[in-house]
Amino acid sequence: MKYSPTKKIVIAIDGFSSCGKSTFAKEIAARIGYVFIDTGAMYRAVTLYGLRHGAVQDGDVNEALLIAMLPEIEITFAFNSERGASDIFLNGENVEKRIRSIEVSDLVSKVSGIAAVREQLVRQQQQLGRQKGIVMDGRDIGTVVFPDAELKIFMTADPAIRAQRRYKELEAKGEKVSLEEVERNLRERDHADQTRAVSPLRQAEDAVVLDNSHMTLPEQMDWVMRRIEKITCAPCTSK
Ligand SMILES: Nc1ncnc2c1ncn2[C@@H]1O[C@H](COP(=O)(O)OP(=O)(O)O)[C@@H](O)[C@H]1O
Ligand SMILES: Nc1ccn([C@@H]2O[C@H](COP(=O)(O)OP(=O)(O)O)[C@@H](O)[C@H]2O)c(=O)n1
């Protein structure tokens, strides 16, 4: 059936690591012609910058140094038609692949716990979504970035299934990493993201929970399109 909306909305997708938020958000955006923004990529890009410029070293983050570097960091997006999603650029360089390494994954939750980093990125995220028609995924989208989002989804999946999915993805990309390392990274990040002082990962009160442990992407799409249509097409169906 053709999707004929009468209004544009903001769709906020939050949840645990590697449960399929970006895959889902990308598919939704393609289906209804929205912009998709992966906010995790933004925290990863700041982490990569810190690693390259000595503010993130030996598994630790020099907060003062990284904060001083923030004005030098420019993050932009450009649509990549081959991937069907936007690639992320760090000061003009396409870092879409670089930011997915286990080295960045191991440090990103330390960087994302810094209030000044969050302030800068949240401001940019709010700008990107000011005209609506956006699907954004992350950890604090429904709680902090867009507390008034019309549709909020909180995603989760069995931790062993999530680790297996991410492991398969990294293995296919040729990254030398073990399943144990991936599991450990997921566990540590989920813990750090849920317990940090600033904007911790939590389910917004008005979010709908989606556990996709045993769901395929087409099943998820049926689930979400019913909800999107209800919100964006309500006036037309009541005529
Ligand atoms: N419903 C699903 N069933 C099986 N695998 C999935 C599903 N959704 C996503 N995946 C796979 O799981 C991995 C993590 O997905 P991703 O979208 O990157 O998660 P997140 O954005 O939550 O970190 C990817 O390899 C993706 O292809
Ligand atoms: N809105 C967001 C998005 C990500 N993050 C941080 O960035 C990290 C990487 O996010 P991600 O979405 O790329 O992680 P994956 O689920 O893809 O592994 C998370 O573990 C969080 O520490 C955040 O704090 N707030």
Side-chain angles (χ1 to χ4, degrees), residues 7-45:
K7 64 172 181 182
K8 278 187 177 177
I9 60 167
V10 170
I11 302 175
I13 303 182
D14 291 303
F16 296 102
S17 172
S18 310
C19 51
K21 300 181 298 298
S22 302
T23 307
F24 190 34
K26 178 181 136 184
E27 190 64 23
I28 296 171
R31 180 78 66 92
I32 64 175
Y34 276 25
V35 170
F36 155 50
I37 296 291
D38 171 1
T39 63
M42 300 171 78
Y43 290 93
R44 287 173 179 273

Side-chain angles (χ1 to χ4, degrees), residues 218-230:
E219 285 169 344
Q220 287 175 216
M221 289 308 295
D222 287 346
W223 180 95
V224 80
M225 284 309 296
R226 279 199 302 275
R227 283 169 174 79
I228 293 173
E229 277 162 11
K230 206 166 164 197

Side-chain angles (χ1 to χ4, degrees), residues 54-105:
V56 180
Q57 257 178 342
D58 304 324
D60 242 318
V61 180
N62 181 332
E63 278 197 27
L65 193 54
L66 189 63
I67 291 170
M69 285 174 183
L70 286 176
E72 300 160 17
I73 301 177
E74 192 196 42
I75 292 173
T76 49
F77 291 93
F79 192 74
N80 175 341
S81 52
E82 255 172 53
R83 222 165 56 79
S86 294
D87 285 346
I88 188 163
F89 288 72
L90 172 60
N91 293 340
E93 176 194 349
N94 187 333
V95 292
E96 186 59 42
K97 287 203 179 83
R98 287 245 148 85
I99 57 164
R100 310 282 166 194
S101 70
I102 195 85
E103 186 187 20
V104 171
S105 298

Side-chain angles (χ1 to χ4, degrees), residues 104-118:
V104 171
S105 298
D106 273 340
L107 288 154
V108 62
S109 289
K110 284 191 179 158
V111 170
S112 69
I114 302 170
V117 171
R118 302 202 71 82

